[in-house]
Amino acid sequence: MLTVNLRIGIAEIALAISLVLVAALMALFVIEWPVGLIPAASYAVATVGTYAGYRVHSREQVDASRLAELEGESVKFRVVHTMGTCPLGHSTGDVIAVNASGSVEPVVCPEAEAMLQMAARDGHVARWCCPIYDHMLIFRKEAVAA
């Protein structure tokens, strides 16, 4: 079964009216004043660009509100293996948490912090490793309790 999720709001109605107006003006300009196609086409590009910017902005607002809802939640990683000695003293069995704002507790090196932040956003890969080979830590994402 095909489901269509169609959302028509003020911005979509304004876009439709503007595009119909531009189409009518372009049809008129082709016959009466061909040079008038230039401002009509630039108006059409500006209208579509403005609408696209509005949609990106509204999508980012929705993402930000979802992030605010998850503010208290964090993703936890357990160190399951080490290769070498971590300069910050992390070893097998340590648990490191990345909260929704991206801060990492306890402190890890900047390379491992960037990797853990990326791992917290990715839901598909279960194991990640520190990019510094000399003191590489291998992390496993902890299961989330239901």
Side-chain angles (χ1 to χ4, degrees):
M1 178 178 197
L2 178 65
T3 303
V4 177
N5 186 9
L6 185 61
R7 180 180 162 262
I8 299 177
I10 294 173
E12 288 78 16
I13 292 171
L15 176 69
I17 290 171
S18 293
L19 292 179
V20 167
L21 177 66
V22 167
L25 286 174
M26 287 182 135
L28 178 68
F29 287 145
V30 166
I31 297 169
E32 296 292 326
W33 188 45
V35 176
L37 287 173
I38 295 169
S42 63
Y43 178 78
V45 169
T47 301
V48 171
T50 302
Y51 177 73
Y54 161 75
R55 294 301 296 167
V56 168
H57 175 70
S58 63
R59 183 176 33 237
E60 287 177 359
Q61 281 185 324
V62 169
D63 291 344
S65 67
R66 286 184 188 153
L67 183 62
E69 290 173 4
L70 298 174
E71 191 62 41
E73 298 180 18
S74 64
V75 179
K76 294 187 170 109
F77 296 90
R78 183 172 303 276
V79 178
V80 293
H81 187 66
T82 61
M83 297 179 82
T85 304
C86 176
L88 296 174
H90 297 293
S91 60
T92 303
D94 288 355
V95 175
I96 299 173
V98 179
N99 67 17
S101 65
S103 63
V104 178
E105 296 287 331
V107 176
V108 293
C109 64
E111 293 84 5
E113 181 177 352
M115 183 276 312
L116 287 169
Q117 290 168 344
M118 183 176 28
R121 289 188 300 266
D122 185 354
H124 303 294
V125 180
R127 290 185 182 230
W128 293 79
C129 65
C130 179
I132 307 298
Y133 185 76
D134 295 339
H135 53 271
M136 183 169 61
L137 301 174
I138 300 173
F139 301 95
R140 182 186 69 222
K141 191 180 285 191
E142 292 286 295
V144 177

